Amino acid sequence: MERKQPDLVLIVARSFATKLATPTLIIDANGNLVYFNDAASDVLGRSYLEIGTLHASRWQELFQPRTLDEEPLTAEQTPGGIALLERRPVHDSFVMRGLDGREREITVTAFPLFSQPDEVVGVMSIFWERPAKS
Amino acid sequence: MKIRVWGARGSLSAPGPATVGYGGNTSCVEVELADGTSLILDAGSGIRELGQRLLGREQGELHICLTHLHVDHVEGLGFFGPLWRAGWKLRFWGPPSTTATLRERVSRYLSPPLFPIGLSEAPAEAVFEDAPREPWRIGSAVIEAQMVEHRGPTLGYRIEDEGRVLAYVPDHEPYLTAALGDEPKWISGWALAAGADLLLHDSQYTDEEYLGRLGWGHSSVTHAANFARAAGVRQLAMFHHDPMRSDRELEELYDQVADSLRRDQEPPLIAREGLEVILG
C-alpha cells in the first residue's frame, strides 16, 4: 500500500474550501489542480467530481486563460502560477473559458500556502466573476 | 516492540473510584523497541510512575516523542525522575514552531509561575529537536512524524520496528478533513495509520458530545472507528478518554466502536493504565 499523503496544510485548505461559499480553487506544489469547491463549479462550468485532479498543463488547456487584452496566459502566468513560483500573493483579473463554453472575466486573489517558512505546499485561489459590462 | 500504557486519559487527570479501572493519568505510552531502546510517547501525568520504574535501571538515553505541548501531554515532566538525576540523557522530539524552539516552548511550562523549578536546573542532559520532516531512525525502529488536525501544531507518530507498526495519534479530529468522503489520502493522519498493527487514537467524545464540540480538536468514538476503518489498521485502541468518562461509561461505548469496525479487524481495545501489547 502506498502511504504517500499531501501535507496537512493542503488537506486543511481543501477542507476549508469545501465550506466556503466563495469560488475557491486549490493547486498543489506541482501546479496540479487538486480541488475546487461547489461555488467555483458555477464559474468553471463543471463540478470537481466530474473533472477530478488535473495536471497543470491540462487545466491551462481546458480553461484557456487570457489577459483582458486577449493575450494567452501560460499556467505560470496566471495568478495561481505566479503565487506558486514567486511565493507571493497575487491579485489580478483575466478572461477564461468555462467548461460550459461561456467566456468569463474573473478576478483572482491567489496566495501561497506555507507549511514551513521555507516550504510551499500549494496555492489557494479565491475568485469572483466580474459583472458583465453593460 | 513492547508497548505499555502509563496514561490514557485526555485533557485532565481524572483520579477517583469511577476511573480506577482504566486510570486517570494523562497520555504517556512506553515503547520498548526490539533492540532494547526506550521510546516514550508524550509526557502526561502517566510519565511520573514510568520515571520511578526507570530509576531502577542503569542510566542511559531515553527518547521522548511529544505530539504537542498542551498541558495534558507535558504535565508529568516536572515529576519525571530521570530528568532530575545526572547521568540520564533525554532526547525530546516534538512539533516545529515558527516562533520558538521546542526547548523554549517546553520551558514555558517548566518555569515559574507554572512550575517552581526551571528546565535549566534539571541535572539530566536534555536535548530538544523538532521532529524531522522525513522518517528517521531511533534504535531498531523507523519513526515517522506528521502534522495532524488538532488545535495548534500537533504530530502523530508511526513507529515501525522489525516489520510491525504502532501508530499513535492521541489528539486528532480527522472528521474536519474528511468532508468529501473521497480518497483516504485527503484524511488527516491517514498515512501514519495506514495498515498499522495497532492504532492508539483519540476517542474522547460520544457522538452526542461531539456535536457541541466540533472543532475542539478531538474525535467521537464513531469517528475514531471510521478513521481506523479508512486506514485499515489491524486493531484500534480507544485512547485519550474524556476526563468526565467513568469506567462504566467507557465500556458502554465499546460495543458501538466494535460494531463500526470491519469484520477483518480485530476487536478494539480500551486503553488502560498497565495495558501491555507486544507486536512481533
Side-chain angles (χ1 to χ4, degrees), chain B residues 63-139:
Chain B
H63 293 265
I64 301 172
C65 297
L66 302 172
T67 54
H68 62 308
L69 306 183
H70 287 165
V71 167
D72 54 321
H73 293 258
V74 295
E75 65 185 335
L77 274 181
F79 298 90
F80 182 50
L83 184 61
W84 305 103
R85 293 276 178 88
W88 285 91
K89 180 172 183 179
L90 309 181
R91 290 181 71 100
F92 290 87
W93 306 90
S97 160
T98 55
T99 57
T101 66
L102 184 60
R103 172 183 278 275
E104 288 167 342
R105 284 174 285 145
V106 171
S107 293
R108 287 179 191 162
Y109 174 62
L110 280 178
S111 61
L114 296 178
F115 197 74
I117 303 167
L119 183 60
S120 60
E121 297 176 67
E125 181 186 354
V127 177
F128 291 81
E129 295 184 55
D130 291 350
R133 298 182 204 179
E134 299 299 323
W136 78 104
R137 184 168 283 280
I138 296 178

Side-chain angles (χ1 to χ4, degrees), chain A residues 3 5 12 14-15 118-119, chain B residues 133 144 176 182 187 191:
Chain A
R3 292 192 299 107
Q5 176 170 35
V12 171
R14 196 170 180 265
S15 175
D118 60 349
E119 186 173 5
Chain B
R133 298 182 204 179
E144 189 175 332
L176 289 185
D182 54 1
I187 301 172

Side-chain angles (χ1 to χ4, degrees), chain A residues 3-127:
Chain A
R3 292 192 299 107
K4 275 187 78 83
Q5 176 170 35
D7 188 277
L8 180 68
V9 168
L10 201 62
I11 292 173
V12 171
R14 196 170 180 265
S15 175
F16 174 54
T18 67
K19 296 162 180 66
L20 280 180
T22 312
T24 305
L25 179 151
I26 310 286
I27 61 176
D28 68 13
N30 297 316
N32 299 314
L33 175 65
V34 293
Y35 183 67
F36 56 86
N37 63 8
D38 288 348
S41 303
D42 293 339
V43 181
L44 301 178
R46 294 262 184 86
S47 72
Y48 173 72
L49 290 177
E50 290 176 284
I51 294 177
T53 299
L54 288 177
H55 188 269
S57 59
R58 180 73 180 132
W59 69 262
Q60 190 266 344
E61 177 188 330
L62 283 176
F63 298 117
Q64 299 176 27
R66 302 181 307 287
T67 66
L68 298 180
D69 298 327
E70 294 293 326
E71 292 294 323
L73 288 169
T74 63
E76 293 79 11
Q77 292 170 321
T78 61
I82 295 169
L84 181 65
L85 294 172
E86 299 184 15
R87 298 183 164 207
R88 64 178 175 88
V90 180
H91 181 78
D92 205 353
S93 299
F94 63 91
V95 179
M96 55 151 284
R97 181 191 295 269
L99 295 177
D100 54 3
R102 191 158 77 79
E103 298 281 331
R104 293 172 171 88
E105 276 188 28
I106 60 170
T107 297
V108 182
T109 295
F111 51 91
L113 299 167
F114 285 88
S115 65
Q116 304 277 340
D118 60 349
E119 186 173 5
V120 172
V121 296
V123 167
M124 177 175 267
S125 297
I126 297 176
F127 53 99

